Amino acid sequence: MRSSPAWSNYSNRELAALELKQRRYLKPLDYFTPSPGQIPFFRGRERFKMLRGPNQSGKTMAGAAELIYRMLGSHPYQKVPPAGGHFRVITYSWDQSRTVSRKIWELLPKELLHPDTKYHPDRGFMYHQFRLTTGSFCEIFTTQQGALANASATLDGIWVDEPPPIELWSELCARIMAKRGNLWLTLTP
């Protein structure tokens, strides 16, 4: 491809920059570098863990990275179950779900997206869910849907972005018990 006439107009440096841009698009998680404040969160081996911090401190990005590591079955800071699990993200509102979806999209390895997964920058994931070719599946719910919307699911992991009502928290804890799954919370105090 580089030998075609169109590519001969670029310098080696420009070609390298284009190649790096393509790699960053296909495997963005490879280029994610946690901040010093995020490292203890990623290293935490507890089934229930939390990352608190001020606005714009990277909590949502860290929550998205944790989700994707677990969906891939490969975590740089700890041993996790193999890929193929069922996950859920809980956001405060549908408006917030678009922001969370964008953070997930920014880190998702595009080559591992299942062909049925569709994403729109303004609306998020189609049907508020996405699937990877590894067999992992994730749904995005809101706290406004209530505890009943989460009843009967058996999940491998749940990420809650901002604190949920207590009755929803209790239901979410029950959803991960059968598989001894994980639940992590990202929030602004």
Side-chain angles (χ1 to χ4, degrees), residues 2 7 10-23:
R2 282 187 173 189
W7 288 106
Y10 292 98
S11 69
N12 285 339
R13 186 176 181 168
E14 290 169 320
L15 288 171
L18 288 169
E19 190 171 315
L20 178 60
K21 182 179 178 183
Q22 179 67 11
R23 271 194 253 151

Side-chain angles (χ1 to χ4, degrees), residues 102 112-113 169:
R102 186 173 59 253
L112 294 179
L113 286 172
W169 177 260

Side-chain angles (χ1 to χ4, degrees), residues 13-45:
R13 186 176 181 168
E14 290 169 320
L15 288 171
L18 288 169
E19 190 171 315
L20 178 60
K21 182 179 178 183
Q22 179 67 11
R23 271 194 253 151
R24 286 183 68 117
Y25 174 76
L26 291 175
K27 293 185 172 190
L29 197 58
D30 290 353
Y31 297 89
F32 172 72
T33 304
S35 70
Q38 294 169 337
I39 298 284
F41 171 75
F42 288 120
R43 287 193 174 142
R45 287 173 167 61

